Amino acid sequence: MIKQVEWSENPLTSQQVVEFEPEVKPQQLQRTENQVTASPVQDLEEEVELNPLANPNRSVVESVGAIPNQLYERLGLTMPRWLLWILTVVIGIILSGLLVSTLALWTPLWSNLDRTDEDLGTTTKDEVKIPLPGELWSKLSQYQLSRPMNILIMGIEPVNGTVDGSPESFAGKSDTMLLVRLNPSDKSVRVLSIPKDTMIAIPEKGEKGLTKVSDANAKGGPVLAARVVSRTLNNAPIDRYIRISTSGLRQLVDQLGGVEVFVPQSMEYKDSSSRLSINLVSGWQTLNGEQAEQFVRFREPGLGDLPRVQRQQALIAALLQRLNSPTVLPRLPQLTRLMRKYFDSNLKMEEMMALVNFGLNLDRDNFQMTVLPGTFSRFSKDPDSYWLNMTGQQSLLNDYVGVNVPGLKPDMRQVPNLKIAIQNASNQPQLTEKVIAYLKHKGFTNIYKVPDWPDTQRQTQIVVQKGNRQVGVDLQKVLGLGQIEVAAIGDLESDLTIRIGKDWK
């Protein structure tokens, strides 16, 4: 039997995002060890239907209490009555537990991001959480998504004076922010990176003017962060959130045995105030947890947050590849326990299993990433301020967020009119001009070259910078070769980046 994890029939709407609802719905959440999970029991009430031969004037309590006595008399038992009562109570508790477990596994998912901690009925982290039974993981394939899901993922900056993994350690600014959309209809995962310097408004806090999206979590936690991101993206539904503490990424990478990534340049930085020290050499290497944190947190001066977003996406791709390794699957229960300590989320356990199952069966071509469209303004007081620009981005909003904006048109330019960067990764300098001449002969009008890629590649790569895989497919037909990579890891100014490999003839 396939267990489908369903989302609420009423996903988070714009009104829900802006306003809190006063009453508590039956489906409440319970925080345990930094993870908000759905409580398995919601005031379960049952009426016991009595045997028609019994006295109709008896109360339910009296009738139920008479059952052990009737059994005792009819069976002619010789054991003491008090022992029979104890056995009856124990068996009742066991049967009730089985019933509750069954109900919990079939409970639908509801959007609760518009609730405060008090509304959600959250409890403290110090309570003991029942571990996930191992037999559930053995039936992982039974848990499946039944409708699209949007998850807001935030990597939280260190908070001075807090214990890593404690509730207080999740109260800092978001150093990383991703909106992940999982769509079972086309079996795709799309990741939208939101630069931390993106300008947004938080009117609920009485603030005048604008602030950066990274401040939202520090000012109002995950509920406020989800609300401002939703409004920024035309009231996009956000079903769940995940916050990762300082050590969360390090522990995850270490549990996976490290991840292999290409470091494009040497990275050196030291900040005694934040205790951040970065020292990485360029080239391919397997990073441990501490090095992976350095890789995604390093920030070049004068370039804003976008180069760091590119490295974050490179690390995400490496993590996904590592998670698909057969050696990692047996570690999933351990990874779940790790998440309960260093991750804060309102995902239920069965939802986590559905997500893992979805990821394990994901086709590589259906995993796509891009960055929230915008520009840096030279007129801003803060040169790192990132200003949203959704002109011609209807397709991106629909595919990566799941919303349609009336009047917002998609980008209808044909591939020959797109901005295409040529980057040599073949170690054969003469190929750059050869490729440019070939494309101009084919009618391409907006081509430019960028510095060579420091890693020599055997295969030519077509990097789709703006998230639309179809334009990569169209360019691939023109070139007759090329591996398509939908991610914002190419030249920042381009629509498409061609990294010439040794396979170019």
Side-chain angles (χ1 to χ4, degrees):
M1 179 179 295
I2 301 297
K3 298 180 177 62
Q4 290 189 334
V5 178
E6 296 185 355
W7 313 121
S8 170
E9 293 294 340
N10 299 307
L12 198 61
T13 63
S14 59
Q15 186 66 22
Q16 289 175 315
V17 173
V18 175
E19 301 178 359
F20 294 109
E21 295 182 12
E23 73 277 3
V24 180
K25 292 185 178 180
Q27 181 74 14
Q28 294 185 338
L29 302 182
Q30 183 176 15
R31 179 185 300 274
T32 54
E33 290 197 6
N34 283 339
Q35 177 181 330
V36 184
T37 57
S39 176
V41 183
Q42 289 88 19
D43 298 331
L44 184 62
E45 297 181 358
E46 293 182 272
E47 293 185 357
V48 180
E49 185 172 341
L50 302 181
N51 188 321
L53 297 178
N55 187 347
N57 295 324
R58 282 187 183 179
S59 68
V60 172
V61 175
E62 292 173 341
S63 301
V64 173
I67 292 176
N69 291 327
Q70 295 173 3
L71 289 175
Y72 188 91
E73 295 171 358
R74 292 188 179 184
L75 298 177
L77 299 176
T78 58
M79 69 175 66
R81 291 177 182 267
W82 61 268
L83 180 58
L84 178 60
W85 272 96
I86 291 176
L87 291 176
T88 302
V89 172
V90 171
I91 293 174
I93 292 174
I94 293 174
L95 292 176
S96 299
L98 292 175
L99 176 61
V100 169
S101 299
T102 302
L103 289 174
L105 290 176
W106 285 93
T107 301
L109 184 151
W110 298 85
S111 294
N112 285 305
L113 284 177
D114 57 334
R115 300 282 196 272
T116 62
D117 285 349
E118 181 179 357
D119 292 334
L120 294 174
T122 56
T123 56
T124 62
K125 177 187 172 182
D126 295 331
E127 295 183 3
V128 178
K129 181 175 178 63
I130 301 174
L132 179 68
E135 59 267 19
L136 292 182
W137 283 104
S138 65
K139 301 177 181 179
L140 182 66
S141 61
Q142 295 184 4
Y143 294 87
Q144 298 183 4
L145 299 182
S146 62
R147 62 173 62 181
M149 173 186 188
N150 289 349
I151 304 177
L152 181 64
I153 300 179
M154 293 175 283
I156 306 302
E157 291 182 352
V159 179
N160 293 332
T162 64
V163 177
D164 199 16
S166 66
E168 296 77 15
S169 68
F170 293 101
K173 296 182 179 181
S174 54
D175 197 49
T176 303
M177 186 172 284
L178 308 169
L179 184 61
V180 181
R181 179 170 179 80
L182 303 97
N183 193 342
S185 63
D186 59 4
K187 299 180 180 179
S188 68
V189 173
R190 290 182 170 87
V191 179
L192 180 65
S193 293
I194 304 174
K196 62 178 295 186
D197 298 324
T198 302
M199 303 305 294
I200 51 95
I202 309 180
E204 291 90 346
K205 296 299 177 182
E207 305 226 356
K208 296 181 179 180
L210 299 172
T211 186
K212 295 182 178 181
V213 71
S214 58
D215 295 335
N217 182 73
K219 293 179 181 296
V223 173
L224 180 60
R227 284 158 57 185
V228 298
V229 170
S230 174
R231 270 196 307 226
T232 300
L233 298 174
N234 198 52
N235 299 321
I238 298 180
D239 303 290
R240 291 291 184 263
Y241 72 84
I242 299 174
R243 294 189 295 180
I244 307 174
S245 72
T246 307
S247 292
L249 176 63
R250 297 199 302 263
Q251 295 290 336
L252 175 61
V253 172
D254 286 338
Q255 286 291 326
L256 293 174
V259 290
E260 188 177 14
V261 298
F262 178 74
V263 182
Q265 66 185 64
S266 298
M267 301 177 184
E268 294 184 7
Y269 176 78
K270 190 171 185 178
D271 186 350
S272 57
S273 61
S274 63
R275 299 179 183 179
L276 177 62
S277 179
I278 299 175
N279 187 12
L280 295 175
V281 298
S282 61
W284 280 100
Q285 51 194 291
T286 299
L287 303 181
N288 60 27
E290 183 178 358
Q291 293 170 327
E293 182 188 10
Q294 297 175 14
F295 180 71
V296 297
R297 294 192 65 188
F298 180 75
R299 183 167 178 164
E300 300 93 327
L303 295 177
D305 196 44
L306 293 187
R308 198 168 63 131
V309 167
Q310 291 183 312
R311 289 193 299 276
Q312 291 168 2
Q313 292 196 359
L315 183 66
I316 291 171
L319 283 171
L320 182 64
Q321 185 175 1
R322 184 67 180 139
L323 284 168
N324 284 329
S325 171
T327 61
V328 173
L329 187 58
R331 303 183 192 178
L332 290 180
Q334 292 91 329
L335 291 175
T336 302
R337 286 191 289 270
L338 173 71
M339 289 179 63
R340 281 155 50 189
K341 182 176 182 180
Y342 294 106
F343 289 50
D344 170 51
S345 176
N346 59 350
L347 280 166
K348 291 164 37 177
M349 192 60 70
E350 61 269 24
E351 294 166 6
M352 287 187 185
M353 298 198 302
L355 297 182
V356 171
N357 183 37
F358 190 85
L360 292 175
N361 294 281
L362 181 68
D363 187 276
R364 184 181 180 278
D365 290 341
N366 288 336
F367 182 79
Q368 303 175 21
M369 296 183 285
T370 190
V371 64
L372 187 67
T375 57
F376 294 101
S377 174
R378 298 178 180 177
F379 303 101
S380 301
K381 293 182 180 180
D382 183 353
D384 292 334
S385 298
Y386 189 73
W387 299 88
L388 189 67
N389 181 6
M390 299 302 295
T391 304
Q393 299 297 334
Q394 177 56 66
S395 298
L396 182 145
L397 279 175
N398 187 43
D399 294 341
Y400 285 78
V401 182
V403 297
N404 290 303
V405 182
L408 184 61
K409 299 179 180 180
D411 187 350
M412 301 300 294
R413 290 178 298 166
Q414 299 298 313
V415 175
N417 298 324
L418 296 178
K419 198 171 185 179
I420 300 178
I422 308 300
Q423 188 171 49
N424 200 324
S426 67
N427 201 25
Q428 302 177 48
Q430 72 278 5
L431 289 183
T432 301
E433 295 300 329
K434 185 177 180 179
V435 172
I436 292 176
Y438 176 81
L439 290 175
K440 287 183 176 180
H441 177 71
K442 291 291 186 178
F444 286 74
T445 59
N446 199 349
I447 308 168
Y448 64 101
K449 61 181 178 180
V450 295
D452 293 353
W453 184 243
D455 179 37
T456 301
Q457 297 183 175
R458 295 178 57 88
Q459 188 174 9
T460 296
Q461 189 178 33
I462 300 173
V463 181
V464 181
Q465 188 76 14
K466 301 299 177 62
N468 183 5
R469 179 180 174 80
Q470 185 57 48
V471 296
V473 173
D474 294 341
L475 180 57
Q476 185 186 52
K477 292 177 180 178
V478 174
L479 300 179
L481 50 77
Q483 177 183 346
I484 301 174
E485 185 78 19
V486 184
I489 58 175
D491 183 69
L492 293 174
E493 300 296 326
S494 71
D495 295 305
L496 295 160
T497 296
I498 300 176
R499 284 186 180 153
I500 309 168
K502 290 184 175 181
D503 58 346
W504 188 280
K505 304 299 182 183

